[in-house]
Amino acid sequence: MSRVSTGPSTNPTTAHALLRRLHDHGVRTVFGVVGREAASILFDEADGIDFVLTRHEFTAGVAADVLARITGRPQACWATLGPGMTNLATGVATSALDRSPVVALAAQSESHDIFPNDTHQCLDSVSVMRPMTKYAAELQRPDEITDLVDSAMSAATTEPVGPSFISLPVDLLGSEVDTSRPLAAAKVPAKPLGAVEDGWQDAASKAAELVGSARHPVLVVGAAAIRSGAVPAVRALAERLRIPVITTYIAKGVLPHGHELNYGAVTGYMDGILSFPALETLFGPADLVLTLGYDYAEDLRPSMWQRGTDKTTVRVSPTANPVPRVYRPDLDVVADVRAFVEHLDRHTASLAAKTPHDIAPLRERIAEFLADPRHYDDGLRVHQVMDSMNTVMEETAEAGEGTIVSDIGFFRHYGVLFARADQPFGFLTSAGCSSFGYGIPAAIGAQLARPGQPTFLIAGDGGFHSNSADLETIARLNLPIVTVVVNNDANGLIELYQNIGHHRSHDPAVKFTGVDFTALARANGVEAARATSREELLAALRKGAGLGRPFLIEVPVNYDFQAGGFAALTI
């Protein structure tokens, strides 16, 4: 049986219709890796869509995720059949748990030869993808492709936003279709569609009363607030009433880095990293917690704010509460976050400003960490690296610009605590899925979304090398990403957990032999340097930021592991 599905054709095919409809929905880039379905699709069948070839399908999925997150428009990624689809699955899982509107596409065996687990490279793609997508379907008839894209987009852009999947048999992908009939206009929502509960205004008015009677209210903000367009309203409300703002990992930047009411992002590792009761300082005095666009997947757990004073909690979200067993708020408001905040602002107009509770000791502790002047013979400390990255980002970026991306590892939680973020999604990490190797594709997506702004990436040696082949993609696209690889020749976060559980580590499970990441970078067409001191790192960051092309810096680091201080991680 021939595996070439179609011959050359000048007539419109399903591929034409697919790409045209993606374009109608605002997609301008498809990331991916193509297989033998290249006989059916070239990706130049529709004007206005670029195909970005990646070295791995996971990269394609995460780059689409981040481009969608920052632009607020759905994006697309592509994989070939069988193992290409399974490689893409982790990228799809990332956009599911990190909440990005992505349409994942994968080729499938010929429609007459789909015998999953028997036909060469044939798996039941829809069944693989269905548990982690909002919509999953396989094309049955070529003329249905427009309907499938519309359904996929509708699901992906409804809160909680997430991925959709379409499986495309290669013979149907290359089949001729009638594209002469006019299509209904694609419905492209200005922002994701969410649930709105009847009577939410009454609940919002009750929330206003709670704010009026509270002594120390705090706003806990998640990414759904950003997606709703609520950031200006949140800033205005916080500043007028002087209410502190605390965020999840990826909502950093709702208030600028240096804003007096920006009380920072929360990680369960912060007490242990700082050797300081950070969570108690942030939440202990608070008597009212308003969670705006809160999402349990973003890993700020209710147990983290349940400290000190008894608290009243208000949940505001465009979705019904999916986790009442762990978060049962006193008042639950299912509504658009922006509409709620604007309502709250109007109904608290007569209130006097609050007195924010004091977190000066925590800020002093953070400043002490970042200013650490010591030289360590066994490598820099990650807080020193973050301080250097912040310094050069401040020197390089225009006001309210710049993106710091973090891969996954123990260092990531230093980024959550210390990284500069002066705009929404100014700090990016995989909060929900925590996908190892996230850094390179996320930086690609961020730089493509913000081409005139600096993008810095921090990655550990483990996660970075798990996906380092796509350094070549960064070089090929000439993206001016400055990458910092903090290298301790180990999976540091796992070593931490070994110490938490056993008060010792077991090297065979965490230690690697050395990799010369500067040589690796040069082999992929990226200029590189090694920095072993603060001074060398600052000089290298400044050089990289001014190059206008990719640059990598390898920094030997080490951690001072202490098993105490991580009780907040207990589930």
Side-chain angles (χ1 to χ4, degrees):
M1 180 181 295
S2 172
R3 294 199 177 102
V4 178
S5 302
T6 64
S9 174
T10 58
N11 296 323
T13 65
T14 304
H16 291 79
L18 167 68
L19 295 175
R20 185 177 70 171
R21 199 56 171 176
L22 289 173
H23 187 274
D24 290 344
H25 281 279
V27 173
R28 299 294 179 266
T29 305
V30 178
F31 301 90
V33 181
V34 187
R36 67 178 178 86
E37 69 278 6
S40 299
I41 185 169
L42 284 171
F43 290 96
D44 64 357
E45 287 86 351
D47 292 335
I49 290 187
D50 295 323
F51 188 86
V52 174
L53 176 64
T54 60
R55 288 281 180 165
H56 196 279
E57 295 86 352
F58 169 68
T59 298
V62 172
D65 170 314
V66 170
L67 186 58
R69 179 188 309 280
I70 293 176
T71 63
R73 299 195 312 267
Q75 302 296 333
C77 53
W78 182 276
T80 192
L81 62 165
M85 177 273 300
T86 57
N87 282 345
L88 185 65
T90 305
V92 172
T94 303
S95 63
L97 276 165
D98 288 347
R99 314 297 194 224
S100 288
V102 170
V103 175
L105 306 158
Q108 177 59 290
S109 298
E110 285 77 5
S111 58
H112 55 269
D113 198 32
I114 299 176
F115 302 107
N117 299 344
D118 288 305
T119 302
H120 174 73
Q121 288 195 315
C122 183
L123 298 167
D124 187 345
S125 302
V126 171
S127 293
V128 170
M129 291 291 191
R130 182 174 286 125
M132 56 185 137
T133 56
K134 301 189 68 185
Y135 173 87
E138 189 160 271
L139 181 66
Q140 303 293 328
R141 289 175 290 275
D143 60 2
E144 293 179 346
I145 188 61
T146 296
D147 294 336
L148 263 61
V149 172
D150 288 351
S151 294
M153 285 291 181
S154 177
T157 56
T158 299
E159 292 284 8
V161 298
S164 291
F165 174 72
I166 303 175
S167 173
L168 298 158
V170 291
D171 59 325
L172 303 186
L173 185 61
S175 297
E176 293 183 10
V177 294
D178 181 5
T179 60
S180 63
R181 293 176 298 171
L183 298 175
K187 292 185 177 181
V188 183
K191 63 182 183 181
L193 304 177
V196 177
E197 188 175 18
D198 286 345
W200 73 265
Q201 294 93 339
D202 294 337
S205 296
K206 291 179 183 176
E209 294 173 5
L210 292 171
V211 171
S213 60
R215 184 180 181 190
H216 291 307
V218 296
L219 305 180
V220 172
V221 182
I226 301 174
R227 294 194 296 270
S228 77
V231 170
V234 170
R235 289 184 180 181
L237 177 72
E239 289 172 348
R240 183 174 62 78
L241 291 179
R242 293 186 55 75
I243 300 177
V245 174
I246 298 169
T247 73
T248 61
Y249 297 0
I250 58 173
K252 278 171 69 80
V254 167
L255 293 185
H257 182 74
H259 198 291
E260 65 171 338
L261 295 172
N262 180 3
Y263 278 26
V266 170
T267 166
Y269 296 79
M270 61 197 310
D271 286 13
I273 289 172
L274 294 169
S275 296
F276 184 88
L279 290 168
E280 177 67 33
T281 304
L282 284 175
F283 291 114
D287 53 356
L288 175 64
V289 176
L290 290 93
T291 63
L292 304 177
Y294 172 77
D295 189 334
Y296 189 63
E298 290 174 37
D299 207 28
L300 196 171
R301 299 175 182 275
S303 58
M304 295 178 189
W305 67 63
Q306 291 167 355
R307 284 167 160 72
T309 302
D310 288 340
K311 300 174 194 341
T312 301
T313 55
V314 178
R315 174 185 177 272
V316 184
S317 175
T319 64
N321 185 5
V323 289
R325 186 168 64 86
V326 293
Y327 181 25
R328 192 175 295 278
D330 298 290
L331 182 62
D332 196 353
V333 188
V334 179
D336 178 76
V337 179
R338 176 179 172 180
F340 170 88
V341 176
E342 290 173 345
H343 182 102
L344 186 65
D345 190 46
R346 290 191 300 272
H347 285 73
T348 57
S350 62
L351 293 182
K354 304 292 180 178
T355 301
H357 64 281
D358 183 25
I359 63 164
L362 173 58
R363 285 177 164 157
E364 290 167 3
R365 181 60 171 161
I366 289 173
E368 178 186 353
F369 257 70
L370 292 176
D372 182 1
R374 287 172 289 180
H375 175 79
Y376 299 90
D377 292 335
D378 58 350
L380 273 75
R381 297 304 184 256
V382 176
H383 53 268
Q384 296 175 315
V385 176
M386 288 306 316
D387 184 57
S388 299
M389 293 177 70
N390 285 342
T391 296
V392 179
M393 179 61 79
E394 184 177 13
E395 295 171 355
T396 305
E398 298 293 331
E401 294 187 353
T403 310
I404 295 179
V405 178
S406 175
D407 207 320
I408 308 307
F410 191 26
F411 63 90
R412 187 261 292 270
H413 299 281
Y414 289 75
V416 174
L417 280 174
F418 304 133
R420 186 178 191 86
D422 284 333
Q423 62 179 328
F425 302 135
F427 174 76
L428 290 168
T429 189
S430 180
C433 199
S434 289
S435 313
F436 213 43
Y438 173 89
I440 286 178
I444 290 172
Q447 190 64 69
L448 289 174
R450 296 167 172 161
Q453 300 184 27
T455 299
F456 291 177
L457 164 62
I458 182 169
D461 54 293
F464 180 80
H465 206 26
S466 75
N467 201 27
S468 58
D470 273 293
L471 268 177
E472 186 274 333
T473 304
I474 292 176
R476 176 169 21 97
L477 299 177
N478 196 32
L479 299 176
I481 296 165
V482 179
T483 299
V484 178
V485 179
V486 288
N487 186 5
N488 67 337
D489 292 326
N491 281 337
L493 184 61
I494 311 310
E495 189 173 6
L496 169 67
Y497 275 103
Q498 289 179 333
N499 280 271
I500 290 174
H502 308 280
H503 299 283
R504 63 186 179 88
S505 59
H506 180 54
D507 286 356
V510 293
K511 295 291 186 181
F512 299 110
T513 54
V515 174
D516 185 340
F517 288 102
T518 61
L520 177 71
R522 295 184 191 110
N524 282 277
V526 175
E527 188 174 344
R530 182 178 169 90
T532 59
S533 68
R534 268 186 179 265
E535 294 74 22
E536 290 178 356
L537 177 56
L538 282 167
L541 284 164
R542 288 173 176 135
K543 176 182 177 179
L547 273 180
R549 61 180 184 272
F551 190 69
L552 180 143
I553 308 161
E554 181 180 357
V555 183
V557 299
N558 222 316
Y559 296 102
D560 300 315
F561 286 118
Q562 299 177 8
F566 295 98
L569 300 177
T570 301
I571 299 173

